Amino acid sequence: MTLLRHFINGTWQESATGRVREIRSPHDQHVVTTATEGDAADALQAIVAARASFDGGAFRSWSWQDRQALLRRVADLIERDLNIYAAAESGDTAKRLIEAEYDIADVISVFRFNATISEPGHSVDVGRSEISSRIAYEPVGVCALIGPWNYPLLQISWKVAPALLAGCSFIVKPSELSPSTAVLLMHTLVEAGVPAGVANLILGAGSEVGAPLTTDPRIDLVSFTGGLQTGKHIMASAAATVKKVALELGGKNPNIIFADADLDAAIDNAVTAGFLHSGQVCSAGTRLLVEASIHDQVVSELTRRAGLITLGGPDDATAETGPLISEGHLNKVLGYMSRAISEGAQVLIGGKRASGIGLEQGWYFEPTVLDRCTTTMSCVQDESFGPIITVESFTSESEAIRLGNDTIYGLSGAVWSSDAAKCDRVAAALRHGTIWINDYGPYRPEAEWGGFKASGVGRELGGSGLHEYLEAKHLWRNTSPGRSGWFRDGGHSSE
Ligand code: NAP
């Protein structure tokens, strides 16, 4: 088994301490791979390399078209190696191979989409023929790109693709739990022609390598996807050197079903929204808001459907979803459940670690439906990041909106109704970054993704996702220079 290593200034390196970390399958604890375990000294080396490559200017002086072509090559190479990538992603996370294949296909789309974005820049008409006023966009500089474990390569690709297109240099820091595909990506970037020092990779725990990446003055931007508490910490760390920050944080996403909705479609999508990837999805539809008149019907069918879900490992052809990522995460979800019960939530199904043949060694949690929930309960307010749907009832459109916005988060939500005008009103009133109407979950690389309120700062994907990696520069050129004439010149004449 090859040791996964840091990639710094074009070379593969082990941590100076010699420490390693075993990556174990969340399904059965077998050792999937072993990674070098970095510390602050390793991160500093990567920062020095990225800074030198950026300040050297070689990559950012490539033409925009050459960097677009680079992204197309990256996409083609990942497509060629899709099976290798998917197996690695599935290995680290124990998500089903088919889900990992979908994820890698999405990664390819992200690179392909970014390759289509034209170089931004425009002129400003100031009404004077001797003046040219132009806005140019330059790379923001050296970026720390920190990703989570739930969609390891996809979340990193949302950062790497625009960073490359912009001409930045960067250091990727994947989750310590799921480093394999980030390592593969570095191989791909080299093969595609990314110069040494532009793309660097640091492996290890965020608690150790995170500090230099978020405090060092040589880092210009920190783009982070992960939990709220880590995001707050990173924002505070970055403030000392006034770094730019882009934060994609958690969500507590309302899925609102009105009585006039297509209930078959709404309930089926509610099951997917809550239980896909065992709820380890930032946009998971974990808060079901149901109009009171259909509450019993919806909840009974939702509970029946939750009970049918088959859990299993990545190679189990019958499995519909897999385990939680780690023992620590399972314990977090168990703690969330205990609080929910003590606060009065009614467990209709699930609520505990899953048992069953083949699941004994894994971090499995039963698909769970909690009824009689209210916004004062922590289960409604806190992200569980597990397969748990809370159910609340409402009796009017305004109450649905009020409940849907009664959260510190603002990542995504959905509204189900056959009344198009009502859907539009509710969608407009919900303060979340993505609203699905009579649907749940799709996203596109062309469309901005990100959060209102505590779900984040900035946007990924779309044109805005690129702009996180650019600085606007105003260039003012006077082709007929003259004196400003503002202050008295005391009779001096330059003639
Ligand atoms: P996390 O614990 O916050 O970790 C995210 C990343 O930050 C990991 O690479 C982690 O490294 C690193 N990190 C931890 N402490 C750090 C520090 N002090 N300085 C710098 N980096 C540090 O989140 P997670 O559990 O991996 O991911 C789940 C969360 O991500 C959920 O809240 C989910 O909603 C959110 N998420 C949001 C989106 C979105 O688009 N908004 C998408 C996906 C996930 P280690 O793993 O080594 O600790």
Side-chain angles (χ1 to χ4, degrees), residues 147-225:
W149 47 260
N150 62 334
Y151 290 92
L153 191 65
L154 186 61
Q155 299 302 151
I156 291 286
S157 75
W158 291 11
K159 304 175 191 306
V160 166
L164 284 172
L165 183 61
C168 295
S169 295
F170 54 83
I171 301 130
V172 169
K173 201 309 249 182
S175 167
E176 66 197 46
L177 302 171
S178 56
S180 295
T181 45
V183 171
L184 289 175
L185 180 65
M186 292 298 132
H187 285 289
T188 296
L189 296 184
V190 172
E191 190 177 348
V194 174
V198 170
N200 303 276
L201 172 73
I202 284 292
L203 306 178
S207 52
E208 288 210 39
V209 302
L213 294 178
T214 55
T215 59
D216 192 287
R218 290 165 290 190
I219 299 283
D220 298 295
L221 165 79
V222 181
S223 177
F224 167 79
T225 301

Side-chain angles (χ1 to χ4, degrees), residues 21 146-151 155 158 173-177 204-207 209-211 214 224-228 230-231 233-234 248-251 281-282 383 385 411 449 455 460:
R21 170 190 294 268
I146 303 173
W149 47 260
N150 62 334
Y151 290 92
Q155 299 302 151
W158 291 11
K173 201 309 249 182
S175 167
E176 66 197 46
L177 302 171
S207 52
V209 302
T214 55
F224 167 79
T225 301
L228 175 60
T230 319
H233 176 75
I234 285 176
E248 291 288 344
L249 308 178
V281 182
C282 55
E383 187 185 43
F385 226 52
L411 189 60
W449 178 265
S455 284
E460 294 198 296

